[in-house]
């Protein structure tokens, strides 16, 4: 008996507890290293003997593949939705499922009028959902202590797929009411997806709506999505993570206002600045650069990049987005290693991580 | 030297004053617009504001008034699109605004193109544009196409997921010598190299010039795959196309 309750020290939290604590900005034994979007690579497919594109529509293969994030990369989370087609495919968009070395995508747009839209009665039973929900159930059973992250495309991004991204974006200026109506009718489809993933066993769901600076102004986020996202975070039914690609510094304040528990941010955003803007209103996880650091870089490049964000005091370290399929597992290994080493060096009582205080203004002067 | 006050259209004046920062661009635009007739300035202003109906109406009006099609294109439509491109590059406007202006440009060009075609006015060149195989990102490529057309090029759009052979076929079919490849995925970037190789194999490499672009593409990568130039954004794409077209002529 006594054995079981030994003093807590080192890495004593389960990955699942650690992730959830970090997600809410709480204390942890180790800063989690995670996958929030896909970390699947060609190498991982070999290891799991599960390959794209079959794995997108097969729960068992998807679960095996997702598990490599924990088994082979030592990450605290697994994430089984490797593509962006889950909802769109089940809503009758024409999907090209890709190849072993390429991701799926929508190949034709189907929606021309928001009033024509309805959610099919068997929506959650469509093949794309059967696979994902099945994979989450399998993962839950096989990995009770590992955090499972689900992924949902919100109505803005599903709108890109169904309506066509250019029509959709242009519509924000030429027919804003129609775009608002699209968002309104599409929202329940995204909500159903989130609820179903929680029910299947996901610990948190990442919600992607691509309203980034490369595409639209911060005002567009405010005018079209802020209020809707406030509703989403209230009614999602579990821990929520927002993903928005690209440079988002000028709209992070709105994201915090929307009530997201966490923001998964990209490498264009400076973590120090992001922390300053959010001021603890939501946690921050990210933001290791995909093309330069993970795909073209070395283990050491990745390790150093991770250390930089960890030292900025983020709540978790993860690739910024779905990693390129040709990325080497050896490089991705630096995610978990850096989180371990950083945490070992920042655990004064041996039990919980304490980040260094941010430099005072006078220190900064000295540095510059 | 022309002054800002020489430009009669208030919108155009305000645009230059508010959004242009680089001295050479300010100078070039003041020069251009002060030379343009008030009617052309009106067309440019409507295009900048994304008002396709007004551009359509003013273009028809100008043609009826006897203005040359080429003048409407250069001093009205292309001049207006030039300002939109700069505003986009500098982050004053975003993709929706550019798309709306491009739609206005199209409305005007619908009247201009048939006239130019009939009169045998040569475009600066023909560019074959496509997103490489396996890649379905096309917003950036489409913006480049709009700006190329806005810059006086004929641009043939091969769409997304373009195989090396499709590029080759299009070059043959259109007797074109400029090719623009776009890639947004690290996984599809190598297909740029494959396309260049394919042209080598077909013995056509020396007759054409390759431009590459897309967010993850770098000038170094462009060199590596054997391209002739890299463009950071849609404006750079037009500049590069002009440079390469000039090279091809010599
Ligand atoms: C919109 C978008 C999508 C849309 C695309 C819709 C469409 N019709 O294009 C959708 C949602 C469908 C999508 C899907 C995917 N995407 Co995406 N997407 C984006 C996003 C958010 C914006 C891209 C964009 O349009 N930018 C705006 C335009 C204007 O910029 P641009 O393309 O760079 O173009 C400019 C310049 O580069 C240049 N240029 C472009 N082309 C050319 C060509 C020439 C010749 C020249 C000279 C210049 C030039 O001029 C343009 C204008 O200034 C980026 C994020 C980002 N930070 O870029 C991710 C991003 C590109 N996507 C990414 C990924 C991973 C995917 C998916 C694999 C997701 C998934 N897991 O399924 C799929 C892939 C589908 C496929 N097989 O292609 C990654 C790519 C990572 C990588 N480098 O490998 C990115 C970077 C996001 C991320 N950080 O993870 N995506």
């Amino acid at each position: 008996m006594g054995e079981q309750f030994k003093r807590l020290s080192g890495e004593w939290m389960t990955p699942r507890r650690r992730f959830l604590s970090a997600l809410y900005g709480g204390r942890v034994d180790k800063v989690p290293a995670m996958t929030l979007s896909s970390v699947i690579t060609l190498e991982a497919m070999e290891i799991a003997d599960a390959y794209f594109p079959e794995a997108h529509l097969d729960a068992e293969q998807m679960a095996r593949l997702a598990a490599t994030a924990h088994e082979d990369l030592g990450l605290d989370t697994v994430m089984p939705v490797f593509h962006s087609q889950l909802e769109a495919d089940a809503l009758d968009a024409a999907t090209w499922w890709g190849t072993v070395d390429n991701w799926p995508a929508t190949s034709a747009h189907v929606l021309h009028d928001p009033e024509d839209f309805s959610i099919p009665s068997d929506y959650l039973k469509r093949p794309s959902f059967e696979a994902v929900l099945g994979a989450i159930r399998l993962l839950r059973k096989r990995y009770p202590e590992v955090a499972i992250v689900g992924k949902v495309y919100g109505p803005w991004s599903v709108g890109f797929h169904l309506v066509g991204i250019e029509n959709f974006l242009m519509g924000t200026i030429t027919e804003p009411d129609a775009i608002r109506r699209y968002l309104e009718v599409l929202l329940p489809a995204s909500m159903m997806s989130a609820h179903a993933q929680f029910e299947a066993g996901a610990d948190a769901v990442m919600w992607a709506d691509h309203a980034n600076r490369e595409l639209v102004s911060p005002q567009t986020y405010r005018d079209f999505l802020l209020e809707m996202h406030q509703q989403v975070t209230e009614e999602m039914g579990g821990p929520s993570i927002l993903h928005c690609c690209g440079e988002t510094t000028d709209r992070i304040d709105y994201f915090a206002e929307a009530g997201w528990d966490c923001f998964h941010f990209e490498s264009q955003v400076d973590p120090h600045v992001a922390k300053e803007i959010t001021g603890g209103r939501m946690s921050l996880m990210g933001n290791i650069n995909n093309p330069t650091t993970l795909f073209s870089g070395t283990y050491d490049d990745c390790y150093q990049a991770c250390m930089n964000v960890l030292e900025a005091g983020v709540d978790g370290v993860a690739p910024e987005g779905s990693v390129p399929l040709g990325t080497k597992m050896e490089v991705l290994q630096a995610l978990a290693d850096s989180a371990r080493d950083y945490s070992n060096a920042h655990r004064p009582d041996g039990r919980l991580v304490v980040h260094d205080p941010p430099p005072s203004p006078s220190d900064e002067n000295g540095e510059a | 030297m022309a002054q800002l006050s020489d430009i009669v259209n208030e919108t155009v004046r305000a645009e230059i004053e508010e959004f242009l920062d680089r001295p050479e661009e300010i100078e070039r635009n003041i020069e251009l617009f002060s030379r343009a007739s008030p009617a052309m300035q009106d067309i440019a202003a409507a295009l900048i504001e994304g008002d396709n109906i007004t551009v359509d109406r003013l273009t028809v009006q100008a043609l009826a008034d006897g203005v040359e099609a080429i003048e409407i294109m250069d001093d009205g439509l292309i001049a207006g699109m030039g300002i939109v491109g700069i505003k986009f590059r500098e982050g004053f406007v975003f993709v929706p605004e550019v798309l709306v202006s491009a739609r206005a440009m199209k409305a005007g060009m619908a009247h201009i193109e048939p006239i130019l075609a009939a009169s045998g006015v040569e475009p600066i060149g023909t560019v074959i544009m496509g997103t490489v195989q396996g890649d379905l990102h096309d917003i950036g490529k489409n913006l480049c196409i709009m700006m190329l057309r806005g810059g006086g090029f004929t641009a043939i759009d091969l769409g997304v997921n373009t195989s090396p052979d499709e590029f080759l076929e299009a070059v043959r079919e259109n007797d074109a010598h400029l090719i623009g490849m776009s890639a947004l995925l690290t996984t599809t970037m190598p297909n740029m190299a494959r396309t260049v190789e394919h042209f080598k194999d077909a013995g056509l490499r020396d007759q054409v010039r390759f431009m590459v672009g897309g967010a993850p593409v770098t000038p170094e990568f462009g060199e590596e795959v054997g391209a002739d130039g890299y463009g950071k954004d849609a404006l750079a794409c037009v500049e590069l196309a002009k440079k390469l077209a000039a090279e091809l002529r010599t």
Side-chain angles (χ1 to χ4, degrees):
Chain A
M1 282 296 275
E3 281 293 86
Q4 236 179 330
F5 292 96
K6 59 180 185 252
R7 185 175 167 271
L8 302 177
S9 74
E11 293 181 20
W12 56 272
M13 284 182 168
T14 64
R16 195 174 174 192
R17 283 184 181 165
R18 175 182 300 135
F19 167 74
L20 285 170
S21 182
L23 182 74
Y24 284 109
R27 283 165 295 185
V28 286
D29 62 335
K30 185 193 83 168
V31 183
M34 298 158 306
T35 160
L36 296 176
S37 38
S38 165
V39 281
I40 303 310
T41 58
L42 292 168
E43 255 179 273
M45 295 185 211
E46 301 246 322
I47 293 172
D49 190 27
Y51 297 86
F52 286 8
E54 291 79 17
H56 299 311
L57 294 171
D58 180 314
E60 169 59 35
Q61 289 198 43
M62 188 183 278
R64 282 211 309 273
L65 204 42
T68 60
H70 179 68
E71 294 282 357
D72 302 283
L73 296 175
L75 299 177
D76 293 299
T77 62
V78 292
M79 204 296 293
V81 196
F82 313 132
H83 55 82
S84 54
Q85 306 305 124
L86 175 60
E87 295 81 12
D89 187 67
L91 293 171
D92 294 323
T95 304
W96 174 68
W97 283 106
T99 57
V100 66
D101 57 1
N102 213 332
W103 284 289
T106 298
S107 54
H109 311 298
V110 292
L111 196 55
H112 307 284
D113 182 340
E115 304 315 326
D116 291 343
F117 177 80
S118 66
I119 299 177
S121 56
D122 61 346
Y123 175 58
L124 293 172
K125 295 234 155 9
R126 295 281 173 102
S128 63
F129 270 108
E130 290 274 30
V132 164
L133 299 177
I136 293 176
R137 283 186 211 105
L138 286 172
L139 288 164
R140 186 73 296 154
K141 219 172 343 168
R142 289 173 195 169
Y143 298 95
E145 304 296 359
V146 176
I148 300 173
V149 180
K151 184 167 95 181
V152 166
Y153 262 41
W156 176 269
S157 288
V158 172
F160 286 1
H161 287 318
L162 297 188
V163 183
I165 191 162
E166 285 177 10
N167 299 336
F168 202 86
L169 290 178
M170 192 148 77
T172 60
I173 296 179
T174 57
E175 35 176 12
D177 290 341
I179 297 304
R180 288 207 175 82
R181 184 73 186 128
Y182 274 123
L183 292 171
E184 213 173 270
V185 299
L186 291 170
L187 177 64
S190 300
M191 283 302 240
M192 283 170 76
S193 175
H195 292 156
Q197 292 182 56
F198 277 124
E199 218 170 270
D203 293 300
V205 164
M206 189 177 86
W207 182 284
D209 265 328
H210 299 89
N212 43 307
R213 192 179 166 82
E214 287 79 359
L215 300 177
V216 296
S217 69
Q219 290 73 32
T220 304
Y221 178 83
R222 182 195 62 200
D223 296 346
F224 287 87
L225 284 170
L226 177 53
E227 206 176 309
M228 180 167 276
H229 279 181
Q230 274 162 345
Q231 184 193 343
V232 170
T233 56
E234 270 170 32
E235 298 175 6
M236 208 159 124
S240 65
I241 305 170
L242 175 71
H243 175 75
C244 182
C245 282
E247 165 59 296
T248 46
T249 313
D250 59 7
R251 56 207 75 192
I252 288 179
D253 191 46
Y254 289 137
F255 297 163
E257 210 178 303
W260 296 103
D261 296 319
C262 173
F263 176 44
H264 176 223
F265 66 114
E266 291 212 342
S267 55
Q268 292 95 320
V269 179
D270 180 336
H272 297 92
V273 176
K275 273 199 71 112
E276 215 176 286
I277 298 172
T278 52
R281 285 175 294 163
M282 61 181 176
S283 63
L284 291 165
M285 295 181 173
N287 70 344
I288 307 306
N289 176 282
N290 272 336
T292 314
T293 308
L294 294 177
F295 181 67
S296 313
T298 61
Y299 174 92
D300 290 341
D301 296 333
C302 178
Y303 189 91
Q304 195 47 54
C306 292
M307 278 299 177
N308 292 345
V309 275
L310 287 163
E311 271 155 20
V314 297
D315 302 282
V317 62
E320 61 179 350
S322 295
V323 308
L325 299 173
T327 305
K328 294 188 205 67
M329 302 272 283
E330 180 201 313
V331 176
L332 292 170
Q333 210 73 50
L335 291 162
D337 291 356
S338 58
R340 177 200 62 212
D341 294 351
Y342 173 86
S343 303
N344 283 342
H346 288 80
R347 211 186 276 123
D349 67 350
R351 208 166 67 92
L352 291 167
V353 170
V354 179
H355 295 289
D356 294 330
S360 68
S362 57
D363 290 353
E364 263 174 21
N365 288 341
E367 290 238 321
Chain B
M1 218 179 80
Q3 304 290 322
L4 190 64
S5 54
D6 296 337
I7 300 171
V8 290
N9 186 291
E10 212 174 301
T11 306
V12 172
R13 247 187 0 245
E15 289 283 326
I16 293 177
E17 212 164 21
E18 207 170 321
F19 299 114
L20 269 48
D21 224 20
R22 302 186 186 177
E24 76 280 5
E25 284 176 353
I26 295 174
E27 206 175 300
R28 176 156 47 78
N29 277 282
I30 290 180
E31 195 61 45
L32 186 92
F33 281 107
S34 59
R35 230 186 339 95
S37 73
M40 296 306 104
Q41 297 181 26
D42 291 347
I43 291 181
L47 184 140
I48 294 167
E49 285 174 341
D51 181 351
N52 58 327
I53 294 169
T54 303
V55 169
D56 181 272
R57 182 171 53 76
L58 294 179
T59 305
V60 171
Q61 182 64 47
L63 286 170
D65 291 345
V67 183
E68 295 281 343
I70 188 107
E71 182 183 339
I72 301 176
M73 184 174 83
D74 285 345
D75 294 358
L77 303 172
I78 294 184
M81 205 59 187
I83 295 213
V84 176
I86 293 171
K87 283 169 76 179
F88 176 66
R89 185 191 67 206
E90 302 298 333
F92 290 115
V93 297
F94 298 85
V95 174
E97 288 83 357
V98 180
L99 291 172
V100 174
S101 287
R103 185 182 64 163
M105 170 118 197
K106 240 192 213 156
M109 284 307 285
H111 303 291
I112 305 293
E113 259 165 1
I115 301 174
L116 292 185
S119 65
V121 174
E122 289 283 322
I124 309 181
T126 300
V127 191
I128 307 288
M129 290 285 291
T131 302
V132 299
Q133 195 156 36
D135 204 320
L136 294 130
H137 292 86
D138 63 358
I139 302 172
K141 180 221 26 148
N142 293 352
L143 293 182
C144 287
I145 289 178
M146 290 164 199
M147 295 308 293
L148 282 167
R149 290 188 180 145
F153 283 89
T154 298
I156 313 263
D157 184 3
L158 301 186
V160 295
N161 196 17
T162 312
S163 70
D165 210 46
E166 283 166 330
F167 278 109
L168 188 73
E169 278 307 305
V171 161
R172 286 196 172 127
E173 245 170 59
N174 297 285
D175 190 28
H177 302 276
L178 270 176
I179 301 151
M181 296 186 281
S182 181
L184 268 283
L185 296 170
T186 11
T187 33
T188 57
M189 279 160 60
N191 291 333
M192 293 180 157
R194 290 195 193 114
T195 306
V196 176
E197 282 304 312
H198 192 61
F199 274 75
K200 276 188 193 157
D201 294 344
L204 278 176
R205 176 65 187 92
D206 295 338
Q207 277 114 285
V208 297
R209 294 290 180 276
F210 284 101
M211 312 188 283
V212 292
V217 180
T218 59
E220 293 76 33
F221 181 82
E223 240 164 74
E224 222 172 274
V225 301
D228 301 290
Y230 157 84
K232 189 176 144 293
D233 52 40
L235 279 186
C237 179
V238 179
E239 286 314 308
L240 177 62
K242 283 187 181 155
K243 185 181 136 228
L244 294 175
E247 243 177 72
L248 281 164
R249 275 195 293 272
T250 57

